[in-house]
């Protein structure tokens, strides 16, 4: 419930602080006194977009702050979903800065307008002529029926499975599209894969083949160079090993004279060992080396295959070709497996569809069972509100597909006159009739669910005195389980309130300001008397006012 409201620097309000109580709160005032300003300020708290033109003094900050007691509203999950700290006394503040920028806070935490609207609609319902049009909206009509049918949990379960059902359908479409694309590419991918598989590629083989090709292609020249190298190493007259052996012999004699000679001797010995090893390697190479035209042809052919594949796939290494081969293999296998995946997906969809049908049927049965009760209650309340011949036909028809709230299509058909034709609400009910129907629905809903604070904005427009008295009684009954505000011009309704506020204008320092004042019992008598007979309150008007209040 709304417990406190502070408005600063908004429209004709300089600064306003007011506290509210439970029960039925009446707000009255002459036309143009500023009741719409009060509603405008509350709308900002509920997340309406701000307008700098509504600021009284645009050199100062505009602030609207509302405190709500939400202990009974079960809103912890909403706070958690919006990542907000839950407080049983929740403060919502809206600021409009001189720059025109707007800021919003919930319990001093900055929030965006979406979060403000999500929470706001759970706290305060401002019922205006515009909201009466909700009656003709399918979603609102379903909300009414489902509230009475206690379909909340069934709808939550249904919605969860419907989301999964839609995801599976999207995934199936993607798989089928993928299959169509894959089938177009399958032949080509299979051809490319076979080409790579036939090449029998091995990582690192390109460098090995290139080296082998160079050797086989230049075998005569290599033989010649190796033979010369062999001669240079072991020729008796000029061979390096023979000369180095003689040098070693000479320094072996000198090594005993000085460490310097001994050091050179060791180095010569090391060099000789290394040259002996080189000689052995050269001999091995000579023995292994032989011309092999067939092998040269094989190597050249394999190199040509690899070169062609590198060019075809625009890569530079065999390793990259192997990666392409693996990728093509995966694509081919995946294409071959798509039928299985699609079949599994179709089966999963059929299973979920069956579950959805069951849940939709439960929702439908609950709705069907409660419709007679809703129809009876509506017609009974409307009879007391001056519509004795009002009749409803609420029709549920099976839909062709799964909808967001089940598998039903709904029609609220209405006839205001005896023997009249039933037609859609928006075509058969006047504005005044829609207001009374909405009041009846809100009254019924208040018995089945915890409604937010409701503020009726002149719902009694165009209603006679006796009917307004009945409307007031209904609002009184509603206020026993929830906080109800009503802005009214009718004394019969004003007299039913537990608390009475008056909106009025006054001039302060030649500046017109809107004020909101809680009336004392005597002031309330005068206010209702003026509503009955104008500003010149007679004794009979006073007496009538007292009678209404009693």
């Amino acid at each position: 419930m709304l417990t406190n409201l502070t408005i600063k620097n908004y429209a004709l309000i300089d600064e306003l602080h007011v506290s509210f109580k439970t029960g039925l709160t009446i707000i009255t005032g002459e036309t143009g006194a500023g009741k719409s300003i009060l509603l405008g300020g509350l709308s900002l708290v509920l997340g309406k977009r701000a307008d700098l033109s509504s600021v009284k003094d645009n050199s100062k900050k505009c602030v609207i702050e509302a405190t709500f007691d939400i202990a009974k509203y079960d809103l912890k999950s909403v706070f958690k979903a919006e990542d907000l700290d839950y407080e049983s006394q929740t403060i919502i503040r809206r600021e409009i800065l001189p720059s025109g920028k707007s800021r919003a806070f919930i319990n001093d935490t900055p929030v965006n307008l979406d979060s403000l609207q999500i929470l706001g609609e759970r706290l305060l319902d401002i019922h205006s002529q515009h909201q009466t049009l909700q009656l003709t909206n399918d979603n609102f009509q379903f909300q009414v029926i489902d509230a009475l049918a206690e379909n909340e949990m069934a709808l939550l379960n249904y919605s969860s499975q419907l989301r999964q059902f839609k995801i599976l359908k999207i995934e199936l479409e993607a798989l089928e599209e993928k299959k169509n694309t894959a089938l177009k590419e399958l032949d080509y991918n299979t051809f490319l894969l076979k080409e790579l598989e036939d090449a029998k590629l091995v990582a690192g083989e390109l460098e090995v083949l290139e080296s082998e090709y160079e050797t086989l292609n230049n075998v005569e020249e290599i033989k010649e160079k190796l033979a010369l190298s062999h001669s240079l190493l072991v020729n008796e007259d000029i061979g390096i090993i023979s000369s180095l052996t003689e040098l070693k012999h000479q320094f072996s004699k000198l090594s005993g004279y000085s460490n310097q000679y001994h050091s050179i001797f060791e180095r010569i010995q090391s060099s000789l060992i290394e040259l002996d090893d080189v000689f052995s390697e050269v001999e091995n190479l000579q023995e292994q080396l032989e011309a092999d035209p067939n092998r040269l042809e094989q190597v050249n052919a394999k190199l040509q295959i690899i070169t062609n594949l590198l060019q075809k796939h625009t890569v530079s290494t065999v390793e990259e070709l192997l990666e392409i081969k693996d990728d093509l293999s995966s694509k081919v296998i995946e294409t071959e497996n798509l039928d299985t995946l699609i079949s599994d997906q179709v089966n999963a969809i059929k299973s979920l569809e069956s579950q959805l049908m069951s849940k939709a049927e439960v929702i439908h049965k609950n709705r069907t069972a409660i419709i007679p009760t809703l129809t009876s209650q509506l017609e009974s309340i409307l009879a007391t509100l001056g519509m004795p011949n009002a009749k409803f036909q609420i029709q549920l028809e099976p839909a062709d597909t799964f909808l967001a709230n089940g598998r039903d299509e709904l029609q609220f058909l209405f006839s205001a006159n005896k023997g009249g034709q039933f037609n859609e609400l928006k075509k058969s009910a006047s504005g005044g009739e829609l207001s009374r129907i909405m009041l009846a629905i809100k009254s019924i809903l208040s018995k089945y669910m915890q409604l937010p604070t409701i503020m009726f904005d002149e719902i009694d427009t165009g209603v006679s005195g006796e009917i307004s008295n009945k409307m007031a009684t209904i609002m009184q009954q509603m206020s026993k389980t929830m906080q109800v505000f009503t802005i009214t011009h009718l004394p019969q309704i004003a007299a039913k309130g537990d608390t009475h506020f008056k909106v009025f204008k006054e001039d302060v320092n030649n500046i017109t300001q809107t004020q909101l004042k809680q009336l004392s019992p005597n002031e309330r008598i005068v206010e209702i008397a003026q509503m009955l007979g104008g500003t010149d309150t007679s004794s009979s008007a006073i007496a009538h006012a007292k009678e209404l209040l009693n």
Side-chain angles (χ1 to χ4, degrees):
M1 60 170 280
L2 177 64
T3 57
N4 292 284
L5 178 65
T6 297
I7 300 177
K8 295 180 182 178
N9 193 35
Y10 178 73
L12 295 179
I13 297 175
D14 184 39
E15 187 165 346
L16 176 69
H17 301 277
V18 61
S19 297
F20 299 110
K21 299 177 182 178
T22 57
L24 177 60
T25 298
I26 303 296
I27 298 176
T28 59
E30 295 179 4
T31 301
K35 296 186 293 295
S36 61
I37 295 173
L38 184 66
L39 292 177
L42 283 169
S43 296
L44 285 175
V45 169
L46 300 182
K48 180 183 175 183
R49 295 206 168 272
D51 184 357
L52 187 60
S53 64
S54 61
V55 177
K56 187 173 189 291
D57 181 350
N58 57 23
S59 67
K60 298 177 182 178
K61 180 168 67 174
C62 166
V63 179
I64 297 99
E65 184 174 282
T67 303
F68 293 87
D69 182 350
I70 63 171
K72 298 179 181 179
Y73 283 16
D74 190 24
L75 294 176
K76 290 182 180 178
S77 60
V78 177
F79 278 73
K80 185 177 180 180
E82 297 301 315
D83 196 23
L84 295 168
D85 292 331
Y86 175 84
E87 298 287 346
S88 59
Q89 295 292 320
T90 282
I91 300 173
I92 299 179
R93 186 171 76 256
R94 193 74 185 277
E95 298 179 354
I96 306 174
L97 305 180
S99 63
K101 182 179 179 181
S102 167
R103 300 189 300 185
F105 302 86
I106 297 176
N107 293 329
D108 285 329
T109 299
V111 295
N112 56 35
L113 289 189
D114 287 341
S115 295
L116 205 59
Q117 290 167 1
I118 288 170
L119 181 60
E121 68 183 15
R122 305 288 294 271
L123 298 178
L124 182 61
D125 176 10
I126 298 179
H127 175 85
S128 62
Q129 195 70 22
H130 169 72
Q131 198 207 33
T132 300
L133 297 176
Q134 277 189 330
L135 271 174
T136 63
N137 180 279
D138 283 353
N139 288 335
F140 180 76
Q141 293 171 1
F142 270 118
Q143 287 172 16
V144 173
I145 288 180
D146 287 327
L148 271 65
E150 298 181 347
N151 268 338
E152 183 179 4
M153 286 308 301
L155 283 168
L156 283 174
N157 293 332
Y158 170 86
S159 296
S160 175
Q161 287 199 330
L162 181 62
R163 281 193 298 273
Q164 186 61 27
F165 179 75
K166 290 179 177 178
I167 290 170
L168 290 180
K169 295 270 282 186
I170 291 170
E171 289 175 348
L172 177 60
E173 290 176 7
L175 281 172
E176 289 174 337
E177 180 64 29
K178 191 173 186 179
K179 178 184 175 182
N180 292 335
T181 303
L183 286 174
K184 294 175 185 176
E185 298 175 351
L186 179 60
D187 288 344
Y188 183 57
N189 286 341
T190 303
F191 168 75
L192 291 177
L193 177 61
K194 187 175 186 308
E195 198 175 43
L196 288 166
E197 287 176 338
D198 289 346
K200 294 180 172 57
L201 300 171
V202 178
E205 72 172 330
L206 180 59
E207 294 76 9
V208 174
L209 288 170
E210 286 175 340
S211 176
E212 187 178 2
Y213 176 80
E214 288 299 320
T215 299
L216 290 171
N217 196 43
N218 298 282
V219 67
E220 295 302 328
E221 182 181 353
I222 294 171
K223 280 184 175 181
E224 181 184 335
K225 300 296 184 187
L226 287 174
L228 178 59
S229 299
H230 185 276
S231 177
L232 286 171
L233 285 167
V234 296
N235 186 283
E236 291 185 4
D237 296 327
I238 60 168
I240 298 171
I241 291 177
S242 300
S243 299
L244 197 57
T245 300
E246 178 60 28
L247 184 62
K248 173 188 172 185
H249 178 68
Q250 295 302 323
F251 267 88
S252 70
K253 298 176 181 179
L254 295 172
S255 62
Y257 298 125
S258 166
N259 286 335
Q260 288 179 315
Y261 301 133
H262 183 72
S263 175
I264 293 173
F265 169 77
E266 289 179 338
R267 290 167 64 189
I268 292 169
Q269 189 173 20
S270 295
S271 299
L272 189 58
I273 292 170
E274 181 67 22
L275 276 174
D276 280 336
D277 190 56
V278 169
F279 172 70
S280 298
E281 192 71 27
V282 170
E283 278 194 325
N284 287 334
L285 289 171
Q286 281 183 306
E287 291 172 3
Q288 294 170 6
L289 188 65
E290 60 180 61
D292 190 346
N294 290 334
R295 178 58 185 165
L296 177 61
E297 186 178 345
Q298 290 173 0
V299 171
N300 186 47
K302 184 65 178 288
L303 281 171
Q304 191 59 51
I305 289 171
I306 293 174
T307 301
N308 291 340
L309 288 171
L310 291 173
Q311 291 174 349
K312 186 171 191 174
H313 293 281
T314 62
V315 293
S316 58
T317 66
V318 171
E319 286 72 21
E320 289 173 296
L321 287 175
L322 290 170
E323 288 178 6
I324 292 170
K325 180 172 79 75
D326 290 342
D327 184 51
L328 287 169
S329 178
S330 297
K331 286 181 178 179
V332 170
I333 292 171
E334 187 177 1
T335 303
E336 293 169 350
N337 290 338
L338 276 174
D339 283 336
T340 302
L341 291 174
I342 288 172
S343 176
D344 290 345
Q345 195 79 356
V346 168
N347 290 335
I349 288 171
K350 285 181 179 178
S351 174
L352 198 54
E353 185 176 24
S354 176
Q355 295 175 51
L356 275 172
M357 287 291 288
S358 297
K359 286 183 169 55
E361 184 61 27
V362 170
I363 293 168
H364 173 80
K365 286 181 179 178
N366 291 345
R367 287 168 174 168
T368 302
I370 203 65
I371 282 174
T373 300
L374 175 59
T375 302
S376 173
Q377 290 188 28
L378 275 174
E379 291 173 355
S380 175
I381 294 172
L382 290 175
T384 67
L385 294 178
M387 298 171 65
N389 298 317
K391 298 293 178 185
F392 280 90
Q393 282 186 2
I394 302 175
Q395 299 178 346
L396 279 179
E397 298 293 339
D400 295 330
T401 185
F402 293 113
L403 304 174
N405 60 354
R407 202 176 164 85
D408 294 322
E409 290 180 345
L410 176 67
Q411 271 197 318
F412 263 57
L413 301 180
F414 175 71
S415 173
N417 304 305
K418 186 176 290 187
Q421 294 291 322
F422 282 93
N423 211 333
E424 294 177 46
L425 270 175
K426 59 184 175 184
K427 296 179 180 178
S428 57
S430 67
E433 288 170 339
L434 284 175
S435 290
R436 280 178 271 180
I437 293 170
M438 178 61 95
L439 177 61
I441 285 175
K442 295 285 186 181
S443 172
I444 294 169
L445 284 176
S446 68
K447 300 173 186 175
Y448 289 87
M449 58 189 294
Q450 177 65 58
L451 294 177
T453 292
I454 190 167
M455 183 171 284
F456 291 110
D457 180 17
E458 299 185 359
I459 195 172
D460 50 29
T461 300
V463 174
S464 67
E466 179 56 31
I467 300 305
S468 65
N469 191 48
K470 299 290 186 182
M471 294 179 79
T473 300
I474 290 173
M475 286 187 272
Q476 245 187 346
Q477 291 169 347
M478 290 174 65
S479 71
K480 292 177 182 178
T481 57
M482 61 183 294
Q483 187 183 37
V484 180
F485 289 83
T486 182
I487 297 173
T488 183
H489 289 290
L490 296 180
Q492 292 86 349
I493 291 180
K496 295 282 188 180
D498 299 303
T499 313
H500 191 152
F501 288 86
K502 181 176 181 177
V503 180
F504 61 95
K505 288 180 181 178
E506 65 176 0
D507 293 336
V508 179
N509 298 325
N510 294 321
I511 297 175
T512 301
Q513 295 184 3
T514 289
Q515 301 285 0
L516 180 67
K517 177 185 179 182
Q518 182 175 349
L519 300 181
S520 66
N522 287 333
E523 289 171 330
R524 194 174 180 192
I525 292 170
V526 173
E527 173 68 8
I528 292 175
Q530 289 177 344
M531 294 173 75
L532 286 164
T535 54
D536 184 16
T537 53
S538 63
S539 57
S540 61
I542 293 290
H544 192 183
K546 288 180 179 179
E547 182 181 349
L548 285 175
L549 285 166
N550 290 330

